Amino acid sequence: MEVNEAAVDYGKRNFTIEEYLEMENVSTEKHEYYQGEIFAMSGGKSQHNIISKNLMIALGTKLKGKPCQPYGSDARIHIEKNTLFTYPNLSVICGDMKSLNNDDHNFLNPTIIFEVLSRSTRNYDRTTKFKLYRDIPTLKEYVMVETESIGIEAWQLNNKGQWELREYQSLGDVLLLPSVQVSIEVKDIYEGTIAAK
């Protein structure tokens, strides 16, 4: 998903979380919310969608029988500490799903978040959004996948509470997801994309 400028039709005034949720629950489009502002999100392009689909299939297969489930971009994640409501491209939630006021819509406890990068969101996903995601107490891994070339940045929270980076830049590499004891071949993530040709 791509994040656009603050939604103009909302007059740039600050909204409460309750107002945002009320609007979002009847909206046909997705919006992010952060500290009173609402931002429209647009859909991803074909390469973005192929990678998201490949990841969902691989995660669904590898997590079968485990207490963790993958969720696509319809799953809204809320970070109570900094107010962000957002729709990651994919997330993995382990154990019981926890949501804001038990509403079954605004999930609080992802273990892994995946963002498939685009030109317009790459810098935001790598910097500001990653900083916001680090406020999620349950988050163990954050994975960013390039669409225009083979490139995956996988951040993992180590046992000292520090984030460590692993990079994958070849179709022969294997993405390791230690928090859920899963590995995915990079070639499977990029199957059917221009970058894999």
Side-chain angles (χ1 to χ4, degrees), residues 42-111:
S42 60
K45 296 186 170 60
S46 63
Q47 302 302 299
H48 185 285
N49 292 332
I50 291 169
I51 290 169
S52 295
K53 172 196 61 113
N54 290 345
L55 275 168
M56 180 60 87
I57 291 170
L59 287 165
T61 302
K62 300 274 187 172
L63 291 172
K64 196 170 183 178
K66 294 178 182 256
C68 303
Q69 292 292 322
Y71 295 87
S73 61
D74 285 335
R76 187 165 61 222
I77 300 294
H78 174 50
I79 307 172
E80 292 181 291
K81 185 174 179 180
N82 59 42
T83 77
L84 180 69
F85 287 83
T86 189
Y87 298 84
N89 295 125
L90 288 102
S91 52
V92 174
I93 298 176
C94 296
D96 294 333
M97 295 179 72
K98 295 179 182 170
S99 61
L100 182 67
N101 302 321
N102 296 316
D103 61 9
D104 202 32
H105 290 290
N106 302 289
F107 303 114
L108 306 172
N109 61 323
T111 300

Side-chain angles (χ1 to χ4, degrees), residues 13-26:
R13 74 172 182 87
N14 278 356
F15 290 85
T16 66
I17 286 174
E18 291 74 20
E19 288 171 326
Y20 161 72
L21 291 175
E22 188 176 321
M23 287 187 288
E24 194 70 355
N25 289 340
V26 297

Side-chain angles (χ1 to χ4, degrees), residues 160-180:
K160 295 179 181 176
Q162 299 171 325
W163 288 91
E164 294 180 344
L165 173 64
R166 295 182 315 279
E167 295 186 85
Y168 304 90
Q169 297 177 327
S170 166
L171 289 175
D173 289 342
V174 177
L175 170 64
L176 303 176
L177 302 170
S179 67
V180 292

